[in-house]
């Protein structure tokens, strides 16, 4: 595989961390290019079970260089806690295997405060924020009112810059929200404490990546959340505040010449959605609870029960399209074992008409799912490693998804562990056939 992006096709939580952890084997560099501490990638490997929020999932692999690109919301507090947690469990982390872009903006303490204040102001119509400060952070970044990590090397200028920002931010805190102002001394103390911790990791990662590319190193780009949460293509305003699509990887990593040839889109065998916003396929009651329990669908960051439903092919086709996915990884197929019938949403009904196109966000509220049912399978498939060894009903389900989405499913994950995977393409290449 040449340069590759691993991205979510749906609402996030598709199992991207698990796929990155598996695939980093073949890469020299892993780059996180957007998002912050608001979502979690769960990785289970020889060191234990981890919910990574900021650290790239290649951090466990010796020899892999991990980069936090300029597009991330650099939450130094959360990042440092993650570094400590992993280090305590025996993972080696230092400036040689973790590099932070000098152009990454710092998520400042007031971003979290403002996130909480705004969700409270919205009362019963919140965005469903994880309150990690992401929306206020990206708003500030686009207003050019953040601090770049590289400014830590220019303390005098940094102080002046912060004083200017504090004057502006305190107007918003006090006049818009009636909250107390943020004293400059407290901000400086925060920078002293957390900035100093991350400073050794900060460098010109754009130059590093350019060199790595020239030397023929293989680079993996890792996204957070999924296509439907993309700021420009997703279910606005219930999106995140950054671009989760593969197309943003060259910008958010600082490597314009990234030349990504492979986009692995991760799709879950059923749907989940965290937080607010339209979710056409949502199941409720006992049916929902059974699926939620089977898939352990509780937020990695918040522990919130995730909304669940059958696989939504309308949203998935759209997700694969906006991600420009060249292949798909289907995860959590094992979770569906034991269900008599497997529902799939093949179309939406909007205003009495059926459509297979994902509509404009405002039309989603009036959309109803058109459901088709597949036969389930009884046996446990978590030990299966070859496509042809899956029960016939499971194979039929996968082949139907593949055809409906219009993109090859080359990986099928049947458990959270690294080796619980059916490598369809690799097996097929060996055996000269695909299914
Ligand atoms: P991410 O943000 O896309 O990485 O997804 P999450 O970490 O939020 O959710 C994926 C969850 O499903 C994690 O707990 C994984 O360990 C787990 N998982 C991933 N793939 C599989 C699978 O094939 N089967 C099962 N049972 N669990 C899986």
């Amino acid at each position: 595989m040449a340069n590759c992006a691993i991205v979510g096709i749906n609402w996030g939580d598709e199992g991207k961390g698990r796929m990155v952890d598996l695939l980093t084997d073949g890469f020299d560099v892993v780059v996180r290019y957007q998002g912050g501490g608001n979502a979690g990638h769960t990785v289970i490997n020889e060191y234990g079970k981890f919910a990574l929020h900021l650290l790239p999932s290649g951090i466990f692999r010796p020899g892999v260089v991990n980069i936090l690109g300029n597009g991330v919301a650099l939450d130094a507090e959360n990042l440092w806690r993650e570094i400590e947690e992993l280090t305590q469990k025996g993972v080696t982390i230092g400036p040689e295997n973790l590099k932070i872009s000098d152009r990454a903006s710092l998520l400042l303490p007031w971003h979290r405060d403002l996130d909480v204040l705004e969700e409270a102001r919205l009362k019963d119509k919140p965005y469903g924020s994880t309150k990690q400060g992401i929306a206020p952070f990206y708003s500030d970044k686009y207003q050019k009112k953040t601090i770049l990590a590289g400014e830590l090397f220019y303390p005098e200028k940094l102080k002046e810059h912060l004083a200017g920002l504090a004057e502006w931010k305190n107007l918003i805190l006090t006049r818009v929200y009636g909250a107390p102002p943020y004293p400059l001394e407290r901000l400086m103390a925060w920078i002293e404490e957390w900035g100093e911790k991350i400073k050794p990791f900060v460098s010109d990662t754009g130059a590093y990546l350019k060199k790595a590319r020239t030397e023929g190193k293989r680079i993996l780009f890792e996204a957070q959340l999924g296509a439907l949460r993309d700021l420009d293509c997703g279910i606005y305003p219930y999106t995140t505040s950054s671009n989760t699509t593969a197309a943003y990887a060259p910008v958010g990593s600082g490597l314009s010449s990234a030349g990504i040839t492979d986009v692995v889109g991760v799709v879950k065998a059923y749907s989940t959605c965290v937080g607010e916003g339209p979710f056409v396929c949502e199941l409720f009651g006992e049916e929902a609870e059974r699926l939620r329990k089977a898939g352990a669908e509780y937020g990695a960051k918040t522990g919130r029960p995730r909304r669940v439903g059958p696989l939504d092919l309308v949203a998935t086709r759209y997700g694969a399209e906006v991600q420009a996915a060249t292949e798909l990884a289907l995860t959590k197929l094992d979770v569906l074992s034991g269900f008599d019938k497997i529902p799939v949403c093949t179309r939406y009904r909007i205003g009495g008409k059926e459509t297979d196109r994902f509509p404009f966000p405002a039309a989603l509220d009036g959309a109803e799912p058109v459901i088709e049912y597949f036969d389930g399978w009884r046996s446990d498939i978590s030990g299966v490693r070859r496509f042809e060894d899956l029960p016939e009903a499971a194979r039929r389900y996968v082949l139907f998804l593949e055809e409906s989405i219009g993109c090859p499913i080359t990986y099928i994950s049947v458990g959270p562990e690294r080796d619980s995977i059916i490598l369809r393409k690799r097996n097929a290449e060996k055996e000269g056939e695909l299914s």
Side-chain angles (χ1 to χ4, degrees), residues 13-18 40-42 306 332 334-335 413-416:
D13 309 314
E14 298 94 345
K16 294 174 295 297
R18 176 252 187 288
H41 285 172
T42 311
R306 291 176 180 152
K332 295 192 126 175
D334 55 304
V335 170
S413 174
V414 289

